[in-house]
Amino acid sequence: MLLDALGHVDKKVRIKNSGYLEEDEIELGFELWASLRYEFLSENKTDFKDEFDIALVAVEPYGLFIHDSVGDAVTEAARERFGEMYLGCIH
């Protein structure tokens, strides 16, 4: 998922028709995210900016720790991808 967020992976995987999607291929990064997003240690957000924000949980600093030695590009991509997680419906 991080390699996808950094733009290093551009792979699609074949999926069975779920009834929601008409495509038979989907990006690997999205498929991983969709199946793993509930597994991250997180906490409910309390400061909602809008009605969409209520479906987001804060992963950083509860389930995302980035060492000081990690480069800026990787740190930014990790925070963007894993810093908070959307738990609402994706279909």
Side-chain angles (χ1 to χ4, degrees):
M1 289 170 50
L2 183 56
L3 290 173
D4 179 65
L6 287 165
H8 296 301
V9 174
D10 186 22
K11 182 175 183 174
K12 293 191 177 220
V13 293
R14 189 167 298 277
I15 60 169
K16 294 180 181 179
N17 187 338
S18 66
Y20 295 102
L21 301 171
E22 295 182 13
E23 307 150 7
D24 62 348
E25 289 187 341
I26 195 165
E27 293 177 8
L28 178 61
F30 179 82
E31 181 64 18
L32 287 171
W33 169 81
S35 61
L36 296 174
R37 63 193 173 129
Y38 296 105
E39 306 305 322
F40 290 88
L41 183 62
S42 62
E43 186 168 298
N44 291 333
K45 293 176 71 174
T46 56
D47 56 332
F48 306 121
K49 298 174 193 145
D50 55 35
E51 59 198 38
F52 173 77
D53 222 23
I54 198 166
L56 297 172
V57 294
V59 176
E60 187 178 20
Y62 311 101
L64 175 65
F65 300 95
I66 302 170
H67 193 273
D68 293 339
S69 66
V70 174
D72 292 339
V74 175
T75 297
E76 185 177 327
R79 282 198 172 114
E80 181 68 28
R81 189 66 185 118
F82 303 108
E84 61 183 16
M85 204 60 64
Y86 177 71
L87 299 183
C89 181
I90 59 172
H91 300 292

